[in-house]
PDB file of all heavy atoms in Angstrom:
ATOM      1  N   ASP A  15      -8.392  -0.462  18.082  1.00 51.00           N
ATOM      2  CA  ASP A  15      -9.808  -0.521  17.960  1.00 51.00           C
ATOM      3  C   ASP A  15     -10.299  -0.995  16.637  1.00 51.00           C
ATOM      4  O   ASP A  15     -11.463  -1.179  16.460  1.00 51.00           O
ATOM      5  CB  ASP A  15     -10.423   0.855  18.247  1.00 51.00           C
ATOM      6  CG  ASP A  15     -10.169   1.237  19.688  1.00 51.00           C
ATOM      7  OD1 ASP A  15      -9.977   0.408  20.550  1.00 51.00           O
ATOM      8  OD2 ASP A  15     -10.039   2.477  19.903  1.00 51.00           O
ATOM      9  N   SER A  16      -9.426  -1.160  15.662  1.00 56.00           N
ATOM     10  CA  SER A  16     -10.000  -1.410  14.276  1.00 56.00           C
ATOM     11  C   SER A  16     -10.744  -2.685  14.121  1.00 56.00           C
ATOM     12  O   SER A  16     -11.792  -2.693  13.504  1.00 56.00           O
ATOM     13  CB  SER A  16      -8.792  -1.395  13.267  1.00 56.00           C
ATOM     14  OG  SER A  16      -7.867  -2.432  13.565  1.00 56.00           O
ATOM     15  N   PRO A  17     -10.473  -3.811  14.839  1.00 60.00           N
ATOM     16  CA  PRO A  17     -11.338  -5.002  14.695  1.00 60.00           C
ATOM     17  C   PRO A  17     -12.737  -4.686  15.216  1.00 60.00           C
ATOM     18  O   PRO A  17     -13.732  -5.155  14.670  1.00 60.00           O
ATOM     19  CB  PRO A  17     -10.595  -6.081  15.485  1.00 60.00           C
ATOM     20  CG  PRO A  17      -9.190  -5.697  15.526  1.00 60.00           C
ATOM     21  CD  PRO A  17      -9.271  -4.089  15.533  1.00 60.00           C
ATOM     22  N   GLN A  18     -12.778  -3.992  16.395  1.00 63.00           N
ATOM     23  CA  GLN A  18     -14.113  -3.622  16.951  1.00 63.00           C
ATOM     24  C   GLN A  18     -14.862  -2.686  15.996  1.00 63.00           C
ATOM     25  O   GLN A  18     -16.117  -2.850  15.848  1.00 63.00           O
ATOM     26  CB  GLN A  18     -13.946  -3.037  18.314  1.00 63.00           C
ATOM     27  CG  GLN A  18     -13.463  -4.051  19.290  1.00 63.00           C
ATOM     28  CD  GLN A  18     -13.213  -3.366  20.669  1.00 63.00           C
ATOM     29  OE1 GLN A  18     -12.898  -2.204  20.686  1.00 63.00           O
ATOM     30  NE2 GLN A  18     -13.320  -4.167  21.728  1.00 63.00           N
ATOM     31  N   ILE A  19     -14.232  -1.710  15.492  1.00 64.00           N
ATOM     32  CA  ILE A  19     -14.798  -0.720  14.578  1.00 64.00           C
ATOM     33  C   ILE A  19     -15.340  -1.464  13.339  1.00 64.00           C
ATOM     34  O   ILE A  19     -16.513  -1.301  12.882  1.00 64.00           O
ATOM     35  CB  ILE A  19     -13.889   0.443  14.185  1.00 64.00           C
ATOM     36  CG1 ILE A  19     -13.600   1.288  15.430  1.00 64.00           C
ATOM     37  CG2 ILE A  19     -14.471   1.268  13.091  1.00 64.00           C
ATOM     38  CD1 ILE A  19     -12.486   2.268  15.274  1.00 64.00           C
ATOM     39  N   ALA A  20     -14.525  -2.289  12.744  1.00 68.00           N
ATOM     40  CA  ALA A  20     -14.894  -2.992  11.464  1.00 68.00           C
ATOM     41  C   ALA A  20     -16.107  -3.923  11.830  1.00 68.00           C
ATOM     42  O   ALA A  20     -17.052  -4.061  11.025  1.00 68.00           O
ATOM     43  CB  ALA A  20     -13.733  -3.819  10.966  1.00 68.00           C
ATOM     44  N   HIS A  21     -16.052  -4.595  12.902  1.00 71.00           N
ATOM     45  CA  HIS A  21     -17.118  -5.621  13.336  1.00 71.00           C
ATOM     46  C   HIS A  21     -18.438  -4.847  13.508  1.00 71.00           C
ATOM     47  O   HIS A  21     -19.539  -5.280  13.038  1.00 71.00           O
ATOM     48  CB  HIS A  21     -16.728  -6.355  14.622  1.00 71.00           C
ATOM     49  CG  HIS A  21     -17.749  -7.402  14.981  1.00 71.00           C
ATOM     50  ND1 HIS A  21     -18.032  -8.480  14.242  1.00 71.00           N
ATOM     51  CD2 HIS A  21     -18.592  -7.475  16.016  1.00 71.00           C
ATOM     52  CE1 HIS A  21     -18.964  -9.246  14.791  1.00 71.00           C
ATOM     53  NE2 HIS A  21     -19.322  -8.592  15.884  1.00 71.00           N
ATOM     54  N   GLY A  22     -18.387  -3.715  14.267  1.00 78.00           N
ATOM     55  CA  GLY A  22     -19.603  -2.890  14.492  1.00 78.00           C
ATOM     56  C   GLY A  22     -20.133  -2.343  13.173  1.00 78.00           C
ATOM     57  O   GLY A  22     -21.403  -2.345  13.019  1.00 78.00           O
ATOM     58  N   THR A  23     -19.317  -1.944  12.263  1.00 82.00           N
ATOM     59  CA  THR A  23     -19.778  -1.419  11.007  1.00 82.00           C
ATOM     60  C   THR A  23     -20.372  -2.487  10.174  1.00 82.00           C
ATOM     61  O   THR A  23     -21.446  -2.217   9.512  1.00 82.00           O
ATOM     62  CB  THR A  23     -18.493  -0.836  10.193  1.00 82.00           C
ATOM     63  OG1 THR A  23     -17.947   0.215  11.040  1.00 82.00           O
ATOM     64  CG2 THR A  23     -18.962  -0.185   8.867  1.00 82.00           C
ATOM     65  N   ARG A  24     -19.766  -3.654  10.112  1.00 82.00           N
ATOM     66  CA  ARG A  24     -20.368  -4.778   9.435  1.00 82.00           C
ATOM     67  C   ARG A  24     -21.817  -5.104   9.951  1.00 82.00           C
ATOM     68  O   ARG A  24     -22.709  -5.370   9.198  1.00 82.00           O
ATOM     69  CB  ARG A  24     -19.480  -6.024   9.457  1.00 82.00           C
ATOM     70  CG  ARG A  24     -18.371  -5.927   8.430  1.00 82.00           C
ATOM     71  CD  ARG A  24     -17.655  -7.294   8.339  1.00 82.00           C
ATOM     72  NE  ARG A  24     -16.938  -7.553   9.549  1.00 82.00           N
ATOM     73  CZ  ARG A  24     -15.607  -7.407   9.788  1.00 82.00           C
ATOM     74  NH1 ARG A  24     -14.906  -6.927   8.821  1.00 82.00           N
ATOM     75  NH2 ARG A  24     -15.125  -7.731  10.914  1.00 82.00           N
ATOM     76  N   ASN A  25     -21.864  -5.143  11.293  1.00 85.00           N
ATOM     77  CA  ASN A  25     -23.166  -5.486  11.892  1.00 85.00           C
ATOM     78  C   ASN A  25     -24.195  -4.403  11.504  1.00 85.00           C
ATOM     79  O   ASN A  25     -25.400  -4.713  11.281  1.00 85.00           O
ATOM     80  CB  ASN A  25     -23.016  -5.551  13.380  1.00 85.00           C
ATOM     81  CG  ASN A  25     -22.412  -6.796  13.853  1.00 85.00           C
ATOM     82  OD1 ASN A  25     -22.290  -7.792  13.018  1.00 85.00           O
ATOM     83  ND2 ASN A  25     -21.920  -6.827  15.077  1.00 85.00           N
ATOM     84  N   PHE A  26     -23.839  -3.104  11.537  1.00 87.00           N
ATOM     85  CA  PHE A  26     -24.715  -2.072  11.161  1.00 87.00           C
ATOM     86  C   PHE A  26     -25.172  -2.197   9.786  1.00 87.00           C
ATOM     87  O   PHE A  26     -26.353  -2.075   9.494  1.00 87.00           O
ATOM     88  CB  PHE A  26     -24.056  -0.717  11.387  1.00 87.00           C
ATOM     89  CG  PHE A  26     -24.935   0.460  10.886  1.00 87.00           C
ATOM     90  CD1 PHE A  26     -25.990   0.889  11.692  1.00 87.00           C
ATOM     91  CD2 PHE A  26     -24.659   1.066   9.741  1.00 87.00           C
ATOM     92  CE1 PHE A  26     -26.784   1.933  11.281  1.00 87.00           C
ATOM     93  CE2 PHE A  26     -25.434   2.118   9.321  1.00 87.00           C
ATOM     94  CZ  PHE A  26     -26.467   2.581  10.086  1.00 87.00           C
ATOM     95  N   ILE A  27     -24.265  -2.370   8.814  1.00 88.00           N
ATOM     96  CA  ILE A  27     -24.630  -2.497   7.424  1.00 88.00           C
ATOM     97  C   ILE A  27     -25.508  -3.789   7.199  1.00 88.00           C
ATOM     98  O   ILE A  27     -26.524  -3.652   6.461  1.00 88.00           O
ATOM     99  CB  ILE A  27     -23.374  -2.575   6.539  1.00 88.00           C
ATOM    100  CG1 ILE A  27     -22.631  -1.263   6.582  1.00 88.00           C
ATOM    101  CG2 ILE A  27     -23.690  -2.965   5.178  1.00 88.00           C
ATOM    102  CD1 ILE A  27     -21.362  -1.198   5.933  1.00 88.00           C
ATOM    103  N   ALA A  28     -25.206  -4.890   7.889  1.00 87.00           N
ATOM    104  CA  ALA A  28     -26.036  -6.089   7.763  1.00 87.00           C
ATOM    105  C   ALA A  28     -27.516  -5.834   8.286  1.00 87.00           C
ATOM    106  O   ALA A  28     -28.456  -6.188   7.699  1.00 87.00           O
ATOM    107  CB  ALA A  28     -25.419  -7.238   8.465  1.00 87.00           C
ATOM    108  N   GLY A  29     -27.594  -5.123   9.392  1.00 88.00           N
ATOM    109  CA  GLY A  29     -28.818  -4.747   9.897  1.00 88.00           C
ATOM    110  C   GLY A  29     -29.682  -3.828   9.042  1.00 88.00           C
ATOM    111  O   GLY A  29     -30.855  -3.986   8.937  1.00 88.00           O
ATOM    112  N   LEU A  30     -28.938  -2.833   8.453  1.00 91.00           N
ATOM    113  CA  LEU A  30     -29.538  -1.888   7.535  1.00 91.00           C
ATOM    114  C   LEU A  30     -30.102  -2.694   6.297  1.00 91.00           C
ATOM    115  O   LEU A  30     -31.190  -2.415   5.909  1.00 91.00           O
ATOM    116  CB  LEU A  30     -28.503  -0.890   7.090  1.00 91.00           C
ATOM    117  CG  LEU A  30     -28.999   0.308   6.299  1.00 91.00           C
ATOM    118  CD1 LEU A  30     -29.932   1.147   7.159  1.00 91.00           C
ATOM    119  CD2 LEU A  30     -27.790   1.160   5.913  1.00 91.00           C
ATOM    120  N   ALA A  31     -29.298  -3.625   5.768  1.00 91.00           N
ATOM    121  CA  ALA A  31     -29.763  -4.427   4.593  1.00 91.00           C
ATOM    122  C   ALA A  31     -30.996  -5.229   4.945  1.00 91.00           C
ATOM    123  O   ALA A  31     -31.899  -5.297   4.097  1.00 91.00           O
ATOM    124  CB  ALA A  31     -28.578  -5.255   4.077  1.00 91.00           C
ATOM    125  N   VAL A  32     -30.982  -5.893   6.063  1.00 91.00           N
ATOM    126  CA  VAL A  32     -32.064  -6.746   6.452  1.00 91.00           C
ATOM    127  C   VAL A  32     -33.379  -5.820   6.611  1.00 91.00           C
ATOM    128  O   VAL A  32     -34.479  -6.226   6.215  1.00 91.00           O
ATOM    129  CB  VAL A  32     -31.748  -7.505   7.785  1.00 91.00           C
ATOM    130  CG1 VAL A  32     -33.027  -8.193   8.334  1.00 91.00           C
ATOM    131  CG2 VAL A  32     -30.742  -8.579   7.500  1.00 91.00           C
ATOM    132  N   GLY A  33     -33.184  -4.747   7.330  1.00 91.00           N
ATOM    133  CA  GLY A  33     -34.268  -3.830   7.506  1.00 91.00           C
ATOM    134  C   GLY A  33     -34.869  -3.356   6.176  1.00 91.00           C
ATOM    135  O   GLY A  33     -36.112  -3.230   5.994  1.00 91.00           O
ATOM    136  N   ALA A  34     -33.982  -2.967   5.284  1.00 92.00           N
ATOM    137  CA  ALA A  34     -34.422  -2.529   3.990  1.00 92.00           C
ATOM    138  C   ALA A  34     -35.209  -3.622   3.235  1.00 92.00           C
ATOM    139  O   ALA A  34     -36.163  -3.292   2.581  1.00 92.00           O
ATOM    140  CB  ALA A  34     -33.245  -2.070   3.108  1.00 92.00           C
TER     141      ALA A  34
END
Side-chain angles (χ1 to χ4, degrees):
D15 297 332
S16 64
Q18 291 174 332
I19 292 170
H21 183 68
T23 302
R24 280 191 292 262
N25 286 343
F26 174 76
I27 292 172
L30 189 65
V32 169

